[in-house]
Amino acid sequence: MQVFAEMRIIFAKKNSVNPFLFRLFRNNETKVHELNYLFWECTTRCNFHCRHCGSDCSVLSREKDMPLEDFLGALDTIPGNKRPKDFTVILTGGEPLMRPDLATAGKEISRRGFAWGMVSNGWFYDERMHARMMEAGMRVMTISLDGMEESHDWMRGVPGSFRHAVNAIGIMAKEPRLNADVVTCVNKRNLSELPQIYELLSGLGVKQWRLFTIIPIGRAAADPDMHLTDDEFVRLMEFIKGKRQEIPGQAGNDDKRQAGNDGKMKVTFSCEGYLGRYEEKVRDVRYFCHAGINIASVLIDGRICACPNIDRDRFSQGSIYQDNFYEVWEERFKPFRDRSWARTGKCKECKQWRNCLGNGMHNWHGPSDEVLQCHYAKTIGVG
């Protein structure tokens, strides 16, 4: 066990890891399946109407906010000796700040010894709210920025959302106690704006910028503006690769000093899929879908799943209202820990199967036995 703990540290620091060793590490992580990251979908209410929303949230959600005591009851099933030091609870939605008791929730999570944070659109996040959240023990925060002003407001569906987000990011970036980042959903409208967004965020003092793309689910499924062509996807990879090469120790740079110590903002691609020739060039470690391996979620209706964007009808493993949350984590989650079922369709004969295992779990939606999107296919035969 100590060996694999040390391997975690090594893989987090190195830019190039032998694929065989990484698969060995991944297999052991899967076998141990230590839970260290828990999403709580605390509300599905939202003040925005985003074009890419996978949850189809609205101000008047059909689902009532989950009572805090219900979630805390699930959290309390995790034994003290099964809580690693880096265990983090992330409040998501919807927009978490729609809940009036968010500070109380944060205090209760902190009181139990868990770090906590949230993902927000930034609309309600001003200096006063920041002080409340920090007093409640918040240590992690992510704010979304999806383009320059016109593009961001178009995507979020609310005029002024860009200005609110930029103001919130500025407040967040100045807080040394926060592990903070900004996420951007890259689409046809904002792809050409990435250099401008980079300069804006760098000027605000942001340390980490994470980019992701859309799979065809939720509102984005039938919106062609949300989806990149293969050539556009490669442009995105080249942009991230280029920015990482500017930082010592990143994307093949021979200088092995710690990344970011020169003040440059770290740019990464999300963990959404296997990237073939871009592995370790656009993010810190090789692709590994941690859903159901280290990551779980408690959904708004009490269902127990992995990442909230995963098909909840197909892959939910139980309910906090009928089951012991931690027993479900320990004893179920087989579809996440044995991916042999995914070796079908275009994945069946793929030579990259052992590295990819059928791509991210959020790419398996609906009744089809075919992966919705193959990131590897987007990167081959181009450039």
Side-chain angles (χ1 to χ4, degrees):
M1 293 294 292
Q2 180 62 30
V3 171
F4 285 97
E6 292 173 357
M7 288 177 72
R8 276 186 181 176
I9 297 172
I10 292 172
F11 292 158
K13 292 182 177 180
K14 288 181 68 65
N15 293 332
S16 181
V17 175
N18 180 285
F20 172 78
L21 289 179
F22 190 83
R23 290 194 295 270
L24 182 64
F25 165 76
R26 183 190 63 195
N27 292 342
N28 188 75
E29 285 284 281
T30 302
K31 181 179 179 180
V32 175
H33 55 262
E34 178 185 77
L35 179 63
N36 57 35
Y37 212 77
L38 176 62
F39 286 98
W40 177 30
E41 189 180 45
C42 64
T43 183
T44 52
R45 291 182 296 137
C46 187
N47 55 316
F48 285 2
H49 190 79
C50 302
R51 301 179 72 92
H52 65 308
C53 182
S55 303
D56 199 27
C57 299
S58 62
V59 174
L60 299 174
S61 171
R62 290 171 294 178
E63 300 278 2
K64 294 182 179 180
D65 292 356
M66 177 181 286
L68 173 58
E69 57 269 23
D70 294 359
F71 174 72
L72 294 176
L75 201 60
D76 288 340
T77 67
I78 304 174
N81 64 349
K82 298 294 184 178
R83 302 177 183 183
K85 291 182 179 180
D86 61 347
F87 197 121
T88 304
V89 178
I90 297 295
L91 280 58
T92 186
E95 169 53 46
L97 289 170
M98 295 285 285
R99 285 188 68 116
D101 65 344
L102 200 69
T104 300
K107 288 178 181 179
E108 287 297 321
I109 294 169
S110 294
R111 189 172 66 83
R112 286 162 167 78
F114 299 97
W116 74 275
M118 65 174 162
V119 181
S120 174
N121 61 38
W123 183 272
F124 300 110
Y125 204 79
D126 55 16
E127 293 282 3
R128 184 177 178 182
M129 182 65 75
H130 175 69
R132 287 183 61 201
M133 295 301 106
M134 295 307 297
E135 194 274 333
M138 186 173 70
R139 292 296 177 263
V140 181
M141 188 169 190
T142 296
I143 295 178
S144 299
L145 187 74
D146 294 311
M148 300 305 288
E149 186 164 10
E150 183 179 343
S151 296
H152 179 89
D153 287 0
W154 165 82
M155 190 159 171
R156 294 286 166 172
V158 178
S161 58
F162 173 83
R163 294 194 300 274
H164 280 265
V166 169
N167 181 65
I169 290 167
I171 295 170
M172 175 186 75
K174 294 175 184 176
E175 178 54 71
R177 293 171 291 176
L178 276 179
N179 179 4
D181 71 348
V182 173
V183 294
T184 296
C185 175
V186 183
N187 56 75
K188 290 184 181 296
R189 287 280 292 262
N190 65 17
L191 179 61
S192 63
E193 297 177 348
L194 296 182
Q196 293 174 269
I197 302 171
Y198 178 89
E199 294 301 325
L200 171 64
L201 296 179
S202 294
L204 291 170
V206 174
K207 299 296 189 297
Q208 298 184 76
W209 182 28
R210 183 161 38 100
L211 301 117
F212 69 99
T213 59
I214 281 293
I215 59 169
I217 61 172
R219 294 176 189 156
D223 190 339
D225 287 331
M226 289 291 99
H227 304 282
L228 301 180
T229 65
D230 292 356
D231 287 345
E232 289 169 335
F233 186 82
V234 170
R235 281 176 56 194
L236 170 60
M237 295 298 102
E238 288 294 330
F239 171 80
I240 299 173
K241 175 184 172 182
K243 288 302 180 185
R244 289 176 67 82
Q245 286 176 334
E246 296 175 6
I247 300 177
Q250 296 292 289
N253 192 313
D254 289 334
D255 187 338
K256 299 302 181 183
R257 291 175 294 167
Q258 182 66 31
N261 66 358
D262 59 353
K264 286 185 176 292
M265 179 174 66
K266 179 187 284 189
V267 185
T268 64
F269 187 61
S270 71
C271 60
E272 65 189 75
Y274 175 69
L275 300 170
R277 63 194 174 111
Y278 287 105
E279 284 296 311
E280 299 173 2
K281 292 181 173 62
V282 296
R283 52 192 171 212
D284 291 349
V285 295
R286 296 182 67 85
Y287 166 71
F288 180 7
C289 182
H290 290 268
I293 310 300
N294 308 108
I295 298 173
S297 64
V298 174
L299 303 177
I300 188 68
D301 59 1
R303 281 185 285 180
I304 301 166
C305 197
C307 297
N309 285 332
I310 288 172
D311 188 335
R312 52 191 67 193
D313 291 329
R314 184 175 180 183
F315 294 113
S316 292
Q317 301 298 300
S319 169
I320 65 169
Y321 295 114
Q322 282 86 44
D323 305 295
N324 177 292
F325 168 79
Y326 193 72
E327 288 179 359
V328 170
W329 172 260
E330 284 287 279
E331 299 169 6
R332 302 185 195 178
F333 283 84
K334 182 179 179 181
F336 300 85
R337 297 167 190 168
D338 178 0
R339 295 290 297 274
S340 59
W341 59 268
R343 196 160 195 178
T344 184
K346 67 182 72 172
C347 298
K348 188 173 183 178
E349 303 299 331
C350 181
K351 295 180 180 179
Q352 295 297 326
W353 167 260
R354 61 180 182 173
N355 296 317
C356 179
L357 299 182
N359 219 5
M361 284 291 299
H362 66 293
N363 270 282
W364 293 85
H365 267 260
S368 173
D369 287 328
E370 184 83 14
V371 65
L372 290 178
Q373 185 165 261
C374 175
H375 292 76
Y376 172 66
K378 290 178 174 292
T379 67
I380 57 177
V382 182

